[in-house]
Amino acid sequence: MFSVKVFTAHEQGILRGEFHGSLMDRIPELPLSAYKRCQKVSVEKIYSSKPVLDIELSGYKIMETLMEQMVEAAVYPDRFYSRQLIRRVSSQYDIEADDLETRILAVIDYISGMTDIYALDIYQKINGISLPIV
């Protein structure tokens, strides 16, 4: 509620790009103090818990692998493995463009649009962890 008041009070400056800093830093001291305490506790108790860290580590590895494999496919599209990866990409992405920059941008667009489940599925398939039943 306090951040809404701050937002509405500075809306025009925000829209003009003249507002600098955080809305939360402009709320009254008491709610700001409570907010900062909640933030600190959540980082210590939630975001630093082992299950969350395990998911983050896995996510980083999945994204790293997808980016490495797909960028390599975009850079070397004539390789057999590259062609196989490229075939998996929807035609809405210009991954077969003539220039390299467009192909790499298509890879970034493709990967950034993936859901977590889809990224995990592709990661497992390209690493041979999950094979379709024939």
Side-chain angles (χ1 to χ4, degrees):
M1 177 167 132
F2 292 106
S3 61
V4 171
K5 287 181 181 179
V6 173
F7 176 82
T8 55
H10 299 332
E11 182 176 8
Q12 292 307 310
I14 292 169
L15 294 173
R16 287 191 304 268
E18 298 168 354
F19 182 87
H20 301 286
S22 165
L23 291 175
M24 295 306 291
D25 288 339
R26 308 244 177 135
I27 66 173
E29 185 58 38
L30 185 60
L32 178 60
S33 174
Y35 169 78
K36 287 184 176 182
R37 177 73 182 133
C38 286
Q39 188 177 36
K40 183 177 184 229
V41 169
S42 65
V43 168
E44 291 171 358
K45 303 282 183 184
I46 299 169
Y47 299 110
S48 296
S49 69
K50 287 190 192 292
V52 171
L53 294 175
D54 290 345
I55 290 170
E56 284 186 4
L57 289 169
S58 298
Y60 281 118
K61 188 61 179 174
I62 290 167
M63 295 307 293
E64 175 187 47
T65 302
L66 292 176
M67 286 298 294
E68 283 179 355
Q69 296 290 318
M70 295 303 298
V71 167
E72 186 170 338
V75 172
Y76 304 106
D78 294 331
R79 293 179 177 172
F80 176 77
Y81 188 71
S82 297
R83 287 194 311 272
Q84 299 298 82
L85 283 174
I86 290 169
R87 284 188 188 142
R88 293 201 44 81
V89 178
S90 168
S91 62
Q92 78 185 67
Y93 302 100
D94 199 9
I95 197 163
E96 297 188 62
D98 290 333
D99 66 296
L100 178 60
E101 181 180 359
T102 301
R103 292 194 307 267
I104 291 176
L105 287 173
V107 165
I108 293 168
D109 192 23
Y110 171 63
I111 293 173
S112 68
M114 290 181 174
T115 64
D116 293 349
I117 300 298
Y118 183 68
L120 175 60
D121 180 55
I122 298 300
Y123 171 82
Q124 289 174 332
K125 287 177 178 162
I126 66 175
N127 282 294
I129 298 168
S130 170
L131 297 172
I133 298 174
V134 228

